[in-house]
Amino acid sequence: MQLKFYEETDRQLIEQYTITEQQLRYTKSPQDSIELARVEASRHPVLALKEEKLVTFLVLHEKEGVIPYSTNERAILIRSFSTDFHEQGKGYAKKALQLLPTFVQKYFPTINELVLSVDLPNIAAQELYKKCGFVDEGVRTKSYDEELIVMSYYLDGNKVD
């Protein structure tokens, strides 16, 4: 599996990606995320490809995107994280999260923390993030009246003060 930034030539991969209404309760579609990235330069859509097929999608959001979730100016937010409905349960989300620290260090060398938020009822996602090294330090926020758990992954292994 490999991670790469979205390019216009990847449009067909996005069109073939299946995301369900159930998934959309917790995340934005890749199409919507790419449209937002077109107008906000701080958003960076990332594709996780397995043998040239898009299996997992996410957005790295730097600068103002992190502000509601972290006071660390060197953090980057993972948002719009999803796995193609037909590819769920195959370990692709976990693998993408495992590849992400190296990817971020390569393209964003000043970043020292990955931050994400997960809906309180989304236990499966919380467990996945914990298995991949994200920690819940008790930070909570709200979005659309839903309580969110904020989780962090420290690229150097140490909590940022």
Side-chain angles (χ1 to χ4, degrees):
M1 177 185 275
Q2 68 170 14
L3 300 180
K4 72 177 284 282
F5 288 112
Y6 172 80
E7 302 170 68
E8 280 303 314
T9 55
D10 299 319
R11 185 107 205 82
Q12 187 174 2
L13 295 172
I14 298 296
E15 291 168 1
Q16 295 169 349
Y17 192 85
T18 303
I19 190 164
T20 65
E21 289 299 319
Q22 176 69 18
Q23 288 172 288
L24 290 171
R25 285 188 60 219
Y26 299 115
T27 191
K28 278 194 181 344
S29 72
Q31 292 88 342
D32 289 347
S33 297
I34 289 165
E35 287 306 314
L36 284 169
R38 283 195 173 99
V39 296
E40 285 185 52
S42 60
R43 291 178 185 249
H44 310 281
V46 176
L47 311 181
L49 302 173
K50 177 71 175 176
E51 297 168 4
E52 305 303 315
K53 179 172 180 18
L54 174 59
V55 294
T56 297
F57 178 88
L58 62 103
V59 172
L60 294 172
H61 195 174
E62 57 183 332
K63 301 176 181 142
E64 72 280 354
V66 181
I67 292 170
Y69 307 97
S70 174
T71 58
N72 178 9
E73 294 179 2
R74 294 178 56 205
I76 197 164
L77 179 68
I78 302 166
R79 66 185 330 148
S80 302
F81 187 77
S82 67
T83 297
D84 183 298
F85 177 75
H86 301 294
E87 303 299 333
Q88 289 184 331
K90 299 178 183 177
Y92 295 138
K94 182 178 180 182
K95 183 65 176 170
L97 289 169
Q98 291 170 335
L99 292 171
L100 200 53
T102 302
F103 183 84
V104 168
Q105 287 174 319
K106 178 177 179 180
Y107 294 104
F108 303 92
T110 62
I111 296 299
N112 62 8
E113 179 185 7
L114 306 177
V115 178
L116 57 78
S117 67
V118 58
D119 291 82
L120 196 59
N122 195 345
I123 304 298
Q126 293 169 40
E127 293 302 315
L128 169 67
Y129 300 142
K130 286 177 189 171
K131 284 180 191 169
C132 292
F134 285 81
V135 292
D136 174 2
E137 296 173 323
V139 178
R140 301 292 182 266
T141 189
K142 281 197 181 257
S143 175
Y144 306 108
D145 292 328
E146 291 282 332
E147 187 169 9
L148 302 175
I149 298 170
V150 178
M151 301 179 80
S152 295
Y153 179 100
Y154 300 101
L155 294 175
D156 60 4
N158 298 315
K159 181 176 176 8
V160 180
D161 292 324

